[in-house]
Amino acid sequence: MAAKEPPQQTGERPVLGIGMVGYAFMGAAHSQGWRTVGRAFDLPLRPALAAVCGRDAAAVRAAADQHGWAAAETDWRKLIARDDVHLVDICTPGDSHAEIAIAALEAGKHVLCEKPLANSVAEAEAMAAAAERARARGQLAMVGFNYRRVPAMAYARRLVAEGRLGALRHVRVCYLQDWLVDPDFPLTWRLEREHAGSGALGDLGAHIVDLAQYVAGERLVGVSALSETFVRERPRLVGASAGLAGADRAGADAAGRGLTGEGVAAAGVHGAGEPVSPDGLPASEGARRGPVTVDDAVVFTGRLASGALASFEATRMAAGRKNALRLELNGERGSLAFDLERLNELFFHDHTEPAASAGFRRVLVTEPDHPYLEGWWPPGHALGYEHTFAHQARDLVLAVAAGTEPSPSFADGLQVQRVLAAVEHSAADHAAYTPIDGRDLGEGATAARPVPSPLTTTPPPPPPPSSAVTA
């Protein structure tokens, strides 16, 4: 399909019309970013919130009114076909990413797609190939790994690139949430493999894989992993439907249960926050239950291309942890540490200083020459989670205006998908070290055989005696 006409001119800046598919938690966050970015940053294009799409006409119209979208659609194909939409922002469950993104690129639109890129390596490969074809026609595609856009993380990347840490030795990162601790939390699309692809691995692990590789400036080459599903059945929801509808279930009030975190706002909790069974009874009162088909938690180690060692933990079962993402890098010349709950701060240790005065020091990342801070407040005035989406929008608008490849690209998203596939492959094979090579894992690798549970399966056999080991 031929590319659309360039964005229309309004005053001195052309308008870049945004169309968004999905309007739940991520949709609200992306809306905030698009609504704010042109007011905070001096951009060559003016983002305009042209239309938002969801299956429930009344709900999507309410979301459009709340978040400032000019129009509402109930069919994503119609949204893509709109002449006033130049960029399609995909905020739906993973099972619809490939179809929508490929269709949008083929229709001559730019694309922003939430992470993880897809539910399988095969889908991600198709999306990356479509993005490469579209790139030749002038369309761009980016993955929404928003934590790259925390100013402290972008500054950490700058310090590593400048050699302030020297050769890396260790990278350790964890992402901890607790919204699944309650065994009566309902069975939502995020707990069904056919819609989510994986559990904590794709939801949280994708973030920390990308973030670790981004800050380190190098990629993982192999992993060894364990995973577990602690609660294997959960109450079913009334009216819970599949696929793209999962994006619309977030009209439910998760906040009513005191739940927070990336997975929760789209969880599909009904009414005043109480999960309800198909019989109309509260889920906690003996409702019919269904199987959980994704992981609750995953831990894995890895090796970076330089030989540095890495460790990762992602869980939605860490009681008391709401959205705790922590990262540390250790190098021959120094170390960096970051905690998302203190996202305006970076801790830096310069190991070349005299030991008597050396140590981690707190850097308040709010100075005008820190990344992204030119658009915001005087030094010392803190930013928040929502600003990462404005920064994401800024970077994509600048790339569209310049015609340059955005980062992270769909090729970057595919590489993260291959890491996730290798983690699942390793966990299914008793933590065997697994090189990160999509060709070795095969099509649909992230939908691999069920992961054996150490709570219910026989341990692997012991290693052979030393006399049997050959060079």
Side-chain angles (χ1 to χ4, degrees), residues 113-150:
C113 183
E114 253 303 316
K115 63 83 211 157
L117 185 61
N119 279 2
S120 72
V121 169
E123 289 178 340
E125 286 175 339
M127 295 171 73
E132 186 175 357
R133 294 191 300 270
R135 180 75 180 87
R137 302 189 299 267
Q139 281 77 57
L140 305 180
M142 189 173 87
V143 187
F145 284 111
N146 67 296
Y147 291 131
R148 287 189 179 204
R149 270 72 189 195
V150 174

Side-chain angles (χ1 to χ4, degrees), residues 8-15 38-39 41-47:
Q8 66 189 66
Q9 299 281 337
T10 298
E12 296 182 357
R13 291 188 300 161
V15 170
R39 295 174 172 86
F41 298 97
D42 184 14
L43 299 175
L45 303 175
R46 183 172 68 83

Side-chain angles (χ1 to χ4, degrees), residues 197-217:
S198 62
L201 175 61
D203 188 20
L204 309 181
H207 268 307
I208 58 179
V209 166
D210 178 75
L211 191 60
Q213 294 184 137
Y214 164 68
V215 177

Side-chain angles (χ1 to χ4, degrees), residues 149-170:
R149 270 72 189 195
V150 174
M153 287 292 85
Y155 184 56
R157 172 67 200 125
R158 182 189 298 175
L159 292 175
V160 172
E162 292 173 351
R164 299 292 296 276
L165 269 60
L168 287 181
R169 305 301 190 211
H170 300 283

Side-chain angles (χ1 to χ4, degrees), residues 7-288:
Q8 66 189 66
Q9 299 281 337
T10 298
E12 296 182 357
R13 291 188 300 161
V15 170
L16 181 69
I18 312 300
M20 189 173 73
V21 188
Y23 56 86
F25 172 40
M26 275 297 101
H30 283 226
S31 298
Q32 172 79 0
W34 290 118
R35 194 169 58 243
T36 304
V37 64
R39 295 174 172 86
F41 298 97
D42 184 14
L43 299 175
L45 303 175
R46 183 172 68 83
L49 281 65
V52 62
C53 180
R55 293 187 6 155
D56 184 315
V60 73
R61 183 65 260 175
D65 293 341
Q66 179 179 2
H67 297 299
W69 294 91
E73 298 281 359
T74 56
D75 184 337
W76 60 262
R77 295 171 184 85
K78 291 182 178 179
L79 178 133
I80 288 174
R82 292 177 64 109
D83 290 335
D84 60 348
V85 169
H86 311 115
L87 186 152
V88 175
D89 185 352
I90 303 169
C91 298
T92 62
D95 60 343
S96 59
H97 284 185
E99 184 180 13
I100 299 172
I102 293 171
L105 289 168
E106 291 178 346
K109 313 291 184 173
H110 307 293
V111 172
L112 171 63
C113 183
E114 253 303 316
K115 63 83 211 157
L117 185 61
N119 279 2
S120 72
V121 169
E123 289 178 340
E125 286 175 339
M127 295 171 73
E132 186 175 357
R133 294 191 300 270
R135 180 75 180 87
R137 302 189 299 267
Q139 281 77 57
L140 305 180
M142 189 173 87
V143 187
F145 284 111
N146 67 296
Y147 291 131
R148 287 189 179 204
R149 270 72 189 195
V150 174
M153 287 292 85
Y155 184 56
R157 172 67 200 125
R158 182 189 298 175
L159 292 175
V160 172
E162 292 173 351
R164 299 292 296 276
L165 269 60
L168 287 181
R169 305 301 190 211
H170 300 283
V171 176
R172 62 185 61 84
V173 57
C174 63
Y175 199 167
L176 314 176
Q177 297 179 351
D178 71 353
W179 58 279
L180 287 180
V181 169
D182 181 358
D184 285 328
F185 188 91
L187 184 68
T188 75
W189 70 267
R190 288 188 183 270
L191 304 178
E192 298 172 328
R193 178 176 290 276
E194 63 268 32
H195 306 310
S198 62
L201 175 61
D203 188 20
L204 309 181
H207 268 307
I208 58 179
V209 166
D210 178 75
L211 191 60
Q213 294 184 137
Y214 164 68
V215 177
E218 54 182 299
R219 291 181 170 182
L220 288 159
V221 297
V223 295
S224 178
L226 295 170
S227 67
E228 183 54 67
T229 303
F230 298 107
V231 179
R232 296 181 174 268
E233 290 187 337
R234 290 184 179 273
R236 294 187 183 276
L237 287 167
V238 166
S241 55
L244 182 57
D248 303 330
R249 279 182 240 159
D253 182 12
R257 287 170 58 88
L259 303 168
T260 61
E262 176 150 323
V264 184
V269 183
H270 288 247
E274 182 67 22
V276 181
S277 77
D279 300 321
L281 299 173
S284 58
E285 296 180 14
R288 184 162 59 89

